[in-house]
Amino acid sequence: MDLRSGKQTGEESSESLSEQEMTMEQGPITGRGRKSTRQNMLEDMMKTIQEDRTKQEEDRKRQEEDRRRLKETIKQGRKEDLQKLEEGRKEDLQKLEEGRKEDLQKLEEGRK
């Protein structure tokens, strides 16, 4: 019992109830053609989930593309490295061949 008003606890006067009713927001009326608050919330949640899935899919595609590019870069780098090695090997072989020719010429000059 509420000592101030003399009423049972939980009992409200009709005036305070009508005030509360006026100040409370009323949700949309359910029925044909109208959506409930729950339906709206569910739709919002589903949209959010779908947007998240779309973002994840886009991120996955970007990551795959980045991996592909990285593999291409590595592959190209390997090709360039192999080309440089091959060029260096050819240069070394040419130098060796030139050195042999010079040595042969010196030997022949020494015999004469």
Side-chain angles (χ1 to χ4, degrees):
M1 178 172 223
D2 188 0
L3 297 175
R4 288 178 285 175
S5 65
K7 298 179 183 168
Q8 290 288 339
T9 307
E11 231 180 84
E12 300 272 342
S13 69
S14 60
E15 290 175 12
S16 68
L17 282 177
S18 63
E19 284 177 20
Q20 286 178 357
E21 287 174 359
M22 290 176 64
T23 58
M24 289 178 63
E25 289 185 33
Q26 291 185 353
I29 300 169
T30 57
R32 293 185 185 173
R34 298 214 174 182
K35 295 180 182 177
S36 70
T37 303
R38 286 183 184 165
Q39 286 172 324
N40 287 332
M41 285 177 26
L42 285 173
E43 285 179 3
D44 290 343
M45 289 169 59
M46 292 302 291
K47 284 179 187 176
T48 303
I49 290 169
Q50 186 61 37
E51 289 170 358
D52 287 347
R53 285 183 182 162
T54 303
K55 287 178 185 177
Q56 288 174 349
E57 182 66 20
E58 289 171 359
D59 288 346
R60 187 187 61 77
K61 287 180 181 178
R62 262 190 240 109
Q63 288 173 352
E64 285 177 3
E65 181 63 21
D66 289 346
R67 275 191 219 109
R68 187 192 64 75
R69 285 185 187 151
L70 183 59
K71 285 180 182 178
E72 272 303 310
T73 302
I74 291 169
K75 188 177 180 180
Q76 185 63 33
R78 286 180 183 159
K79 283 182 183 178
E80 290 172 3
D81 289 346
L82 285 173
Q83 287 174 347
K84 287 177 184 177
L85 284 172
E86 186 66 26
E87 288 171 10
R89 198 176 121 238
K90 285 180 183 178
E91 288 173 6
D92 289 346
L93 287 173
Q94 285 176 350
K95 287 178 184 176
L96 284 172
E97 189 64 31
E98 288 173 9
R100 276 185 47 209
K101 284 181 184 178
E102 288 175 4
D103 289 346
L104 282 174
Q105 283 177 355
K106 287 179 185 176
L107 279 172
E108 285 184 19
E109 285 177 9
R111 286 185 187 171
K112 290 180 183 180

